[in-house]
Amino acid sequence: MKAMRTLVRASAIAVTAALLTAPAAAEDGYRLWLRTQAPVEGPIAISRLGDTPTLRLAEAELRRDLPAAANLPVLVALASDPSVSALRLPVADLGNEGYLVRPVSLGGRPVLLVTGNTDRGVLYGAFALIRHAASGGQIGSATLRSAPKVKLRVLNHWDNLDGTVERGYSGESLWDWWKLPDYRDPRYTDYARANASIGINGTVLNNVNAKADSLTAPYIAKAAALADVFRPWGIRVYLSARFSAPIEIGGLKTADPRDPAVAAWWKAKADEIYRAIPDFGGFLVKANSEGQPGPRDYGASHADGANMLAAAVKPHGGIVMWRAFVYADTDPEDRAKQAYTEFKPLDGKFADNVMVQVKNGAIDFQPREPFHPLFGAMPRTPLMMEFQITKEYLGQATHLAYLGPLFTEVLEAKTGRGRETVASVVDGESERHQLTGMAGVANIGDDRDWTGGTFNQANWYAFGRLAWDPSLDAAAIAREWAQQTFGTDPRVVDPVVDMMMRSREAVVDYTGPLGLAHVMATGHHYGPGPWVSELQRPEWNPVYYHRADRQGIGFDRSRTGSNAVAQYAPAVAKLYANPRTTPESELLWFHHLPWDYRLKSGETLWEGMVRRYDRGVATVATMRREWDGLRALVDAERWEKTAAFLSIQEREARWWRDASLAYWQSVNGLPLPAGVAAPEHDLAWYKAQSFPHAPGNPH
Ligand code: GCV
């Protein structure tokens, strides 16, 4: 046995594909939070027992990124390796992705062991040790242990086959579909590496507004090339499936999920995909939503559609992620109620390899939404969380909005069923589901810094960390990200964390305080548009959401209105039913209130709104000042880009504030409170702003 073991010694010339693509410029953001330390020399030695591509990556990562300060040799090994199993370490509950890092004595030699039950676990352990070291932790004494609480930790790319990215603000798609499968851009490796470093283990390559072409043989071969690159990093590939593909590329007359020919077509298609990608993860589907085809076109249910696809991938171990983001143009019901109305009756009707993927709120990734009422309401169905990492509604690429607090606010929300939280629904604890998942709509493009700005990287990072463990704290994540990204100097880290932790609330304040939502301009969703009222469907118009008139503002979702509150468990519904017990941050989401309604502060609703708009602008000004103070402590390239972005944000926060106040005043006829600055322009000026070429807008 001993002879069969491979002991691979550290080699100073070891290079990974990722190293070959190391950036030309030092501080352009390409390296994300993974910033190579000085080459390891001297006392530290890194060795490996066993030989798989993933174990080799774990070793190479440590060699590349672990600071020389370690005072113990590091050993990378599977827990099943005889010399490690002889130590009888507590590894049983690490599952197949967890890791253990700790100092041990092996053959009389002290080493820092990085181990797990699988090579993926070992790789995650290597990244955990690098994170620990880069955020100031001691290496020699490190004892780290963790297993993911959520099984599928998946990015959703809304990337189109022509290279554009729907709601993408960081350049074009990373996937060069045209040159694939022959040319595999080395950047694909770096993408996989970054994801693996934060525990992401799946990626849906194409937009949920899918083209059937992505399921044709040439595109399957392209996806297979990406899957080959991602595999050693523990990342599986998934595809968004267009429900009408059997008609469009299969020559069938129907896509009715109850038609045996349709089911047979999907089964053959799944077989074809698995021949090219043996570990293909499965399908993501947007059906009967915003014009996409689906089973409802044939009078079949969402469960019928999902189960038919699930049967096709089941023999291969695949899954279906079926989105609950549905609302129909024919349905006059409050849009916030429609997904629940459609899906709740289907609880228990989905096949066991289907997950229903639910957005964090019932409308659409607004800067603040109450948690989606489906969480907790479908106990017999694994519900997958869908967050949006790309900031469609939070200032897109340029505004600094750290989404950690948005994500944790939803995850920590109590559903009203005993001690259940949204996180405990998502991680399966609540109903003991084995299949669990969290999806994040990616903010990644081919910009040199991947996400269009340094602070946007933190949102990718935070998503990965929370998908691994939804109970993590947003501020702690911000801190470890800042330490890895800018170094551990507290003169930098403290103000950066402070800026990050205030930033999302600032966006809420200057775009839609007190529970206002969906008040943005049409199409590109860039900038304010609370006046928009002429769009074809009522629920496309901001006026549908805020319902402002001379008397008051807000959407009555209590019993006197749409009664959306009744979709929550009684304990939560009771709170939301009454404006006095509704958190003020969600007040106008649930209630239509007079402008002179008294807030807890004693101010009128109107005064409180105005104060919040001003507070949002002031917070951005403070963030700018804090960043200015870091000029000498942050590299020039990243400092300047963020400084420029903050100046854009301050200008645009003012624009949001001024345009919104000008509009509300045109509706309520109220003066601004004493001492408050008037909007810079009149309402007509704000209404006349037009941005036909804003990025990310689907055409
Ligand atoms: C992919 C919102 C976005 C759309 C997106 C949709 C969805 O409506 O504006 O661009 O489409 O959500 O999540 O399906």
Side-chain angles (χ1 to χ4, degrees):
M1 281 303 281
K2 200 169 177 186
M4 286 174 67
R5 269 190 277 144
T6 321
L7 178 61
V8 184
R9 279 265 152 221
S11 159
I13 55 164
V15 285
T16 63
L19 251 186
L20 290 172
T21 63
E27 303 293 357
D28 57 8
Y30 187 86
R31 292 179 297 164
L32 298 159
W33 49 87
L34 292 165
R35 297 160 60 73
T36 309
Q37 310 288 323
V40 175
E41 287 165 4
I44 188 165
I46 295 172
S47 53
R48 162 168 57 83
L49 291 173
D51 189 25
T52 71
T54 304
L55 284 175
R56 268 180 260 144
L57 290 174
E59 180 200 4
E61 287 303 319
L62 290 168
R63 191 183 307 292
R64 173 183 172 166
D65 271 357
L66 205 60
N71 51 13
L72 259 191
V74 179
L75 176 70
V76 165
L78 285 172
S80 58
D81 187 278
S83 62
V84 178
S85 60
L87 298 172
R88 302 192 179 286
L89 297 170
V91 292
D93 58 354
L94 292 180
N96 58 11
E97 289 185 302
Y99 58 81
L100 173 67
V101 178
R102 77 180 226 193
V104 297
S105 173
L106 212 67
R109 184 172 77 111
V111 293
L112 184 62
L113 177 67
V114 179
T115 194
N117 293 323
T118 64
D119 53 5
R120 278 174 298 149
V122 176
L123 180 63
Y124 291 138
F127 280 121
L129 179 57
I130 291 164
R131 176 164 63 239
H132 172 78
S135 39
Q138 290 293 322
I139 301 172
S141 58
T143 301
L144 313 169
R145 173 195 177 83
S146 183
K149 291 193 176 151
V150 175
K151 194 167 170 193
L152 307 175
R153 308 176 296 278
V154 180
L155 287 182
N156 288 184
H157 285 269
W158 287 356
D159 294 21
N160 298 314
L161 301 184
D162 65 1
T164 57
V165 181
E166 181 156 348
R167 311 306 175 190
Y169 313 105
S170 325
E172 296 276 289
S173 172
L174 273 187
W175 323 134
D176 193 340
W177 292 111
W178 191 249
K179 300 198 190 82
L180 281 165
D182 304 286
Y183 177 62
R184 300 175 181 196
D185 190 328
R187 196 163 182 179
Y188 303 151
T189 301
D190 293 346
Y191 163 86
R193 172 177 178 255
N195 280 319
S197 78
I198 49 175
I200 287 171
N201 65 1
T203 182
V204 185
L205 299 173
N206 59 320
N207 192 350
V208 287
N209 291 333
K211 291 264 188 281
D213 292 348
S214 65
L215 298 172
T216 58
Y219 279 93
I220 292 171
K222 293 167 194 283
L226 290 172
D228 288 345
V229 176
F230 300 162
R231 189 166 297 113
W233 299 95
I235 294 170
R236 283 181 176 212
V237 152
Y238 300 74
L239 290 173
S240 292
R242 183 162 168 86
F243 200 76
S244 52
I247 302 172
E248 289 154 16
I249 58 170
L252 300 188
K253 294 259 177 314
T254 177
D256 187 335
R258 297 160 303 188
D259 185 319
V262 171
W265 186 88
W266 279 108
K267 187 174 177 330
K269 184 52 72 181
D271 293 347
E272 181 189 351
I273 295 173
Y274 277 96
R275 276 194 296 278
I277 313 174
D279 57 352
F280 178 64
F283 295 123
L284 169 64
V285 185
K286 171 176 177 177
N288 296 113
S289 167
E290 301 186 329
Q292 296 301 308
R296 307 294 281 142
D297 301 344
Y298 307 96
S301 74
H302 283 273
D304 293 331
N307 293 347
M308 183 267 300
L309 285 176
V313 293
K314 173 112 179 167
H316 307 281
I319 61 145
V320 169
M321 298 170 284
W322 191 271
R323 296 177 90 221
F325 177 68
V326 297
Y327 60 100
D329 45 357
T330 46
D331 191 345
E333 192 180 39
D334 174 5
R335 175 174 161 188
K337 291 179 70 179
Q338 292 187 29
Y340 179 102
T341 303
E342 183 93 38
F343 278 82
K344 163 85 178 151
L346 299 177
D347 190 25
K349 300 218 162 75
F350 289 96
D352 62 4
N353 59 332
V354 174
M355 303 196 72
V356 172
Q357 183 168 310
V358 182
K359 288 189 181 184
N360 59 271
I363 299 289
D364 191 15
F365 301 135
Q366 297 302 295
R368 170 165 282 118
E369 290 190 37
F371 73 92
H372 200 300
L374 277 174
F375 289 111
M378 294 184 68
R380 290 191 288 159
T381 310
L383 297 187
M384 193 162 174
M385 171 64 77
E386 180 175 325
F387 283 128
Q388 192 180 48
I389 310 171
T390 188
K391 304 200 309 294
E392 177 178 355
Y393 301 103
L394 287 103
Q396 306 189 350
T398 48
H399 293 206
L400 200 167
Y402 170 53
L403 300 180
L406 187 160
F407 298 158
T408 54
E409 179 176 292
V410 176
L411 291 166
E412 287 164 10
K414 295 201 166 49
T415 65
R417 295 168 176 84
R419 293 156 54 94
E420 183 181 85
T421 60
V422 171
S424 74
V425 173
V426 172
D427 70 17
E429 189 197 317
S430 193
E431 302 296 338
R432 303 272 155 234
H433 288 303
Q434 293 306 308
L435 195 53
T436 57
M438 202 187 287
V441 180
N443 63 349
I444 302 162
D446 69 355
D447 274 8
R448 184 69 193 161
D449 65 9
W450 303 86
T451 58
T454 306
F455 281 88
N456 297 325
Q457 298 174 354
N459 294 329
W460 177 8
Y461 183 91
F463 168 76
R465 298 286 287 128
L466 285 166
W468 180 278
D469 182 353
S471 71
L472 292 180
D473 173 64
I477 295 172
R479 180 162 294 276
E480 65 177 47
W481 173 81
Q483 287 168 326
Q484 291 169 84
T485 301
F486 297 115
T488 53
D489 185 344
R491 291 174 304 160
V492 178
V493 172
D494 291 346
V496 161
V497 172
D498 182 63
M499 289 166 63
M500 289 169 77
M501 290 307 291
R502 270 127 81 53
S503 59
R504 179 272 189 140
E505 204 58 40
V507 177
V508 170
D509 277 346
Y510 64 72
T511 62
L514 291 165
L516 287 174
H518 211 287
V519 283
M520 69 290 162
T522 305
H524 44 63
H525 298 168
Y526 168 72
W531 47 81
V532 175
S533 62
E534 76 289 355
L535 303 177
Q536 195 190 342
R537 282 166 55 170
E539 77 285 356
W540 283 352
N541 292 292
V543 296
Y544 168 92
Y545 296 92
H546 63 66
R547 305 193 168 210
D549 57 23
R550 196 148 188 96
Q551 281 71 45
I553 182 169
F555 198 126
D556 183 1
R557 294 192 164 104
S558 73
R559 266 189 294 275
T560 52
S562 77
N563 204 20
V565 294
Q567 294 184 335
Y568 289 96
V572 172
K574 193 169 167 225
L575 290 180
Y576 283 151
N578 179 348
R580 286 281 151 224
T581 51
T582 301
E584 285 191 339
S585 59
E586 295 170 342
L587 198 56
L588 302 177
W589 181 281
F590 288 112
H591 301 284
H592 185 85
L593 297 169
W595 293 101
D596 61 1
Y597 174 84
R598 288 281 157 199
L599 296 173
K600 294 194 176 99
S601 60
E603 301 161 293
T604 65
L605 178 63
W606 172 235
E607 288 162 352
M609 271 175 76
V610 173
R611 188 170 60 77
R612 283 168 176 78
Y613 280 111
D614 277 332
R615 185 174 68 185
V617 176
T619 303
V620 179
T622 307
M623 282 158 50
R624 248 187 113 179
R625 274 197 303 279
E626 283 182 279
W627 189 250
D628 279 347
L630 299 180
R631 185 174 202 145
L633 300 171
V634 173
D635 54 278
E637 203 170 343
R638 289 185 301 169
W639 186 87
E640 271 158 23
K641 187 167 182 181
T642 298
F645 279 13
L646 283 165
S647 82
I648 294 171
Q649 186 174 6
E650 191 177 359
R651 185 179 70 231
E652 294 185 348
R654 246 177 243 293
W655 167 40
W656 265 98
R657 176 243 184 230
D658 287 357
S660 307
L661 291 182
Y663 173 68
W664 303 134
Q665 284 192 282
S666 79
V667 175
N668 64 16
L670 292 171
L672 289 168
V676 169
E680 196 178 340
H681 302 281
D682 63 13
L683 181 59
W685 188 91
Y686 295 110
K687 285 185 172 177
Q689 301 308 301
S690 147
F691 306 93
H693 309 299
N697 193 17
H699 297 291

